[in-house]
Amino acid sequence: MCAKASMEEFEALLNESFEMDTPDEGSVVKGKVIAIEAGQAIIDVGYKMEGRVDLKEFANPGEAPEISVGDEVEVYLDRVENARGEASISRDKARREEAWDKLEKAYADDARVEGAIFGRVKGGFTVDLGGAVAFLPGSQVDVRPVRDAGPLMGMKQPFQILKMDRRRGNIVVSRRAILEESRAEQRAEVIGKLTEGDAVDGVVKNITEYGAFVDLGGVDGLLHVTDMAWRRVNHPNEILAIGETVKVQVIKINKETHRISLGMKQLQDDPWNAVEGKYPLNSVHTGRVTNITDYGAFVELEPGVEGLVHVSEMSWTKKNVHPGKIVSTSQEVEVMVLEIDTAKRRVSLGLKQTMRNPWEVFAETHPVGTEVEGEVKNITEFGLFIGLENDIDGMVHLSDLTWEGRGEDVIGDYRKGDMVKAIVTEVDVEKERISLSVKALDNSFSGAVEGVKRGSIITVEVTAIEDGGIEVEYEGAKSFIRRSDLSRDRAEQRPERFGVGDKVDVRVTNVDPKSRRLGLSIKAREIAEEKEAVEQYGSSDAGASLGDILGAALKGDDN
């Protein structure tokens, strides 16, 4: 019985000894370095078991291994015995298991962890977190894109764990989150020292189309292109360069977003304060065209002061032309100040006002009656437009094309480009209108009737007999005598009593050069002769009969 008991106790002690000295596979155990040879460390892990570990597993990325004989280290026991009869152990796996424990706690506490970037992979980098390998996406390296990550490789620095899965062995970290946090603290500190209106020095860090970012010592402010200078700035790189130190004024600070608006022109005198004194109304100045739009051109009178020449004020004659065909960018032009609105910072300018109104000039140099010659520019249903000097046009109405027939019948004889002579009949400067007449060139009527005036007695020749009267001609000028004007005696108002070729004395009742017509009447001549005879030879009051008077008058004529 005793022997049996002693045997059981020995077996229990033996098992206990095995359990105490033989560690479990898949666990981290302590061992002692007993030798270093052939780039490996030989480690005694107890129970007469030894294993080998490459020296590089004892080194941090980019550093030399720090291990020597006698050091105690923790290693991961993969298998108790491998093919060589040794324990299969790993320092990397031991560090990884140890690291995962620490990382899980840090992740739970939302704490920072220390690591070093040691490799580049697709989409980012690998980071050693004390044995555990994590993935650092490229977008999480810095607050701004990093072109060269070389200086960051192998450098120990803090990271924030964004996501981790121990079962899959995945860890995602961020360096950017750490930078943003410290940047926010730094911004808050710097912003706390700034006040709106302060003038501070800053360094231009970045330039865009709409402005520049200026570093004020840990915090960036936006200097918008419109706040760089009083004058028009097309692109910030016209006056700024990256790395340049500039003096700016703090215009606005947004405490919630920590955004800072800066200005440079605010530190200079506003040129608009002196505009009204320097540019009185109707004064003429030389300026430079800075911008051209569909509705006009902007002209810089001085840096910071621009005025608009509206398209309607650009030319006396070019009404429907794009401003770009009249002026060009950077061209120097003379302009007149038409209006100033200091409150709205607007100056209205005129380009055409610096030149004389061409219609005024034409009226002075071409009074009514002047003969002109020009090219047919346009043909419309109501007349011709003739090009004259200084790019102005004159119009010949249908009624002014010919004396004979209708204007509608002869306008078809004209073509664009034809050179046409005409007489100036009217110049309306205000309405910018010049009236011309082609038919006025024919002054034969004026020559024919020269000396003829209302009341004159002339001899005409009958050229045609009509029901309504007779057509007569005087020195080439034709007229028509109506039936009622053929005689004072109604019985004698018969056209048929005349024959073509008859010579007839008539009285002139009207001379109309415009219509080239003479108003003629036989009846008026007879009445005038009767009145003259009465005045010369007696009157009805004296008792003499009309027949006696006319008889005496005729007898006197015979004598």
Side-chain angles (χ1 to χ4, degrees):
M1 186 74 177
C2 291
K4 186 177 181 181
S6 297
M7 195 67 176
E8 289 177 353
E9 288 175 3
F10 175 75
E11 188 177 344
L13 288 170
L14 185 62
N15 289 336
E16 187 179 346
S17 172
F18 278 139
E19 288 174 5
M20 288 176 62
D21 295 336
T22 306
D24 295 330
E25 291 181 348
S27 65
V28 176
V29 297
K30 285 187 178 181
K32 189 174 184 179
V33 179
I34 57 175
I36 294 176
E37 56 184 39
Q40 291 182 321
I42 301 171
I43 301 171
D44 179 4
V45 293
Y47 195 61
K48 297 182 181 179
M49 286 193 302
E50 296 174 357
R52 294 171 180 269
V53 177
D54 289 338
L55 291 180
K56 65 181 180 181
E57 291 191 26
F58 293 94
N60 291 320
E63 298 178 7
E66 294 183 3
I67 186 73
S68 56
V69 175
D71 288 350
E72 279 195 357
V73 293
E74 288 187 338
V75 292
Y76 183 86
L77 181 61
D78 265 335
R79 291 195 306 279
V80 171
E81 191 173 322
N82 60 17
R84 293 189 297 177
E86 297 176 341
S88 180
I89 59 177
S90 168
R91 172 59 184 161
D92 279 345
K93 288 185 179 180
R95 290 174 68 243
R96 189 178 303 126
E97 289 298 315
E98 181 183 357
W100 271 95
D101 291 339
K102 292 180 181 178
L103 294 174
E104 283 184 332
K105 186 175 185 307
Y107 183 54
D109 296 340
D110 197 26
R112 300 178 181 182
V113 294
E114 192 175 71
I117 302 173
F118 69 90
R120 187 187 294 272
V121 294
K122 185 178 180 181
F125 303 88
T126 50
V127 179
D128 177 26
L129 300 177
V133 177
F135 174 62
L136 173 64
S139 61
Q140 296 297 321
V141 176
D142 206 328
V143 290
R144 291 193 178 93
V146 176
R147 294 183 180 178
D148 181 16
L152 301 176
M153 302 292 280
M155 182 175 69
K156 285 191 176 181
Q157 53 192 313
F159 294 88
Q160 187 78 38
I161 299 176
L162 301 181
K163 186 171 63 173
M164 69 182 299
D165 185 339
R166 187 163 186 168
R167 186 171 59 84
R168 295 183 177 181
N170 290 339
I171 307 176
V172 180
V173 295
S174 170
R175 177 175 177 269
R176 175 179 175 175
I178 303 295
L179 295 176
E180 285 180 341
E181 187 178 331
S182 59
R183 192 161 171 250
E185 294 172 358
Q186 189 178 18
R187 285 176 67 91
E189 183 181 350
V190 174
I191 289 173
K193 297 177 182 178
L194 292 176
T195 306
E196 291 181 3
D198 286 353
V200 295
D201 289 327
V203 178
V204 178
K205 287 186 66 177
N206 192 25
I207 293 177
T208 67
E209 287 187 1
Y210 56 85
F213 289 94
V214 179
D215 184 1
L216 303 179
V219 59
D220 289 351
L222 174 62
L223 174 59
H224 197 272
V225 65
T226 57
D227 288 310
M228 290 182 179
W230 290 110
R231 68 177 179 84
R232 180 190 293 269
V233 178
N234 294 317
H235 196 283
N237 59 20
E238 291 179 12
I239 55 177
L240 292 178
I242 293 177
E244 180 183 356
T245 299
V246 292
K247 186 171 283 294
V248 291
Q249 185 181 76
V250 179
I251 299 174
K252 188 176 181 182
I253 300 174
N254 189 319
K255 300 292 184 182
E256 295 179 1
T257 61
H258 286 181
R259 286 184 179 173
I260 303 173
S261 297
L262 305 173
M264 284 174 64
K265 71 180 185 182
Q266 287 76 5
L267 297 174
Q268 305 162 0
D269 291 334
D270 186 350
W272 276 89
N273 295 336
V275 163
E276 288 189 352
K278 291 179 68 175
Y279 304 100
L281 295 181
N282 300 322
S283 60
V284 176
H285 305 271
T286 300
R288 183 177 60 88
V289 178
T290 57
N291 193 27
I292 296 174
T293 67
D294 291 338
Y295 53 85
F298 288 92
V299 176
E300 183 183 66
L301 298 176
E302 66 174 85
V305 179
E306 276 187 349
L308 172 66
V309 181
H310 192 267
V311 63
S312 61
E313 307 294 348
M314 300 199 81
S315 172
W316 288 108
T317 55
K318 297 172 182 175
K319 303 294 186 183
N320 299 312
V321 177
H322 190 276
K325 293 189 176 179
I326 301 175
V327 295
S328 56
T329 305
S330 298
Q331 178 184 347
E332 287 203 345
V333 292
E334 274 199 342
V335 289
M336 178 180 285
V337 178
L338 305 180
E339 185 181 351
I340 294 178
D341 188 334
T342 308
K344 293 182 179 178
R345 303 171 76 89
R346 290 179 182 171
V347 178
S348 295
L349 303 173
L351 190 64
K352 69 182 185 183
Q353 286 79 359
T354 61
M355 300 169 275
R356 286 200 65 193
N357 184 333
W359 282 273
E360 282 183 3
V361 175
F362 188 88
E364 291 176 8
T365 56
H366 299 79
V368 171
T370 306
E371 183 179 318
V372 294
E373 184 177 14
E375 182 182 331
V376 177
K377 295 291 186 181
N378 198 18
I379 301 174
T380 68
E381 60 183 12
F382 49 82
L384 305 176
F385 283 91
I386 309 297
L388 304 173
E389 57 192 49
N390 295 324
D391 289 330
I392 59 177
D393 292 343
M395 193 191 81
V396 182
H397 193 269
L398 287 174
S399 61
D400 286 308
L401 284 174
T402 181
W403 290 111
E404 306 295 333
R406 302 186 316 152
E408 291 89 336
D409 297 330
V410 299
I411 195 170
D413 297 336
Y414 293 91
R415 298 287 182 271
K416 279 187 178 181
D418 288 353
M419 295 302 293
V420 174
K421 290 182 178 180
I423 298 295
V424 178
T425 57
E426 183 187 8
V427 180
D428 191 328
V429 175
E430 193 172 318
K431 293 182 179 178
E432 299 181 348
R433 188 169 62 195
I434 297 172
S435 298
L436 305 174
S437 174
V438 171
K439 71 181 185 182
L441 288 166
D442 180 6
N443 57 6
S444 59
F445 176 77
S446 300
V449 300
E450 186 176 359
V452 175
K453 57 185 179 180
R454 189 174 179 181
S456 299
I457 304 298
I458 59 175
T459 301
V460 298
E461 182 180 343
V462 178
T463 56
I465 309 297
E466 297 180 11
D467 290 342
I470 62 175
E471 184 184 76
V472 297
E473 182 180 291
Y474 175 75
E475 299 292 338
K478 291 188 176 182
S479 296
F480 189 78
I481 303 175
R482 294 174 299 175
R483 179 189 283 267
S484 61
D485 282 313
L486 292 178
S487 175
R488 70 187 299 275
D489 187 350
R490 290 182 64 87
E492 294 300 315
Q493 293 177 350
R494 295 176 291 108
E496 60 269 18
R497 75 184 180 92
F498 297 93
V500 174
D502 289 356
K503 297 287 195 296
V504 181
D505 290 341
V506 296
R507 182 183 175 91
V508 178
T509 59
N510 187 36
V511 180
D512 187 354
K514 286 189 176 180
S515 62
R516 291 167 62 96
R517 293 284 179 182
L518 289 175
L520 305 174
S521 174
I522 299 173
K523 175 182 177 179
R525 189 210 76 203
E526 292 173 346
I527 292 174
E529 288 177 347
E530 179 182 319
K531 182 178 179 183
E532 184 182 347
V534 169
E535 288 177 351
Q536 187 171 356
Y537 295 100
S539 67
S540 55
D541 292 341
S545 67
L546 182 59
D548 294 338
I549 294 170
L550 289 175
L554 293 173
K555 186 177 180 181
D557 286 345
D558 291 339
N559 293 334

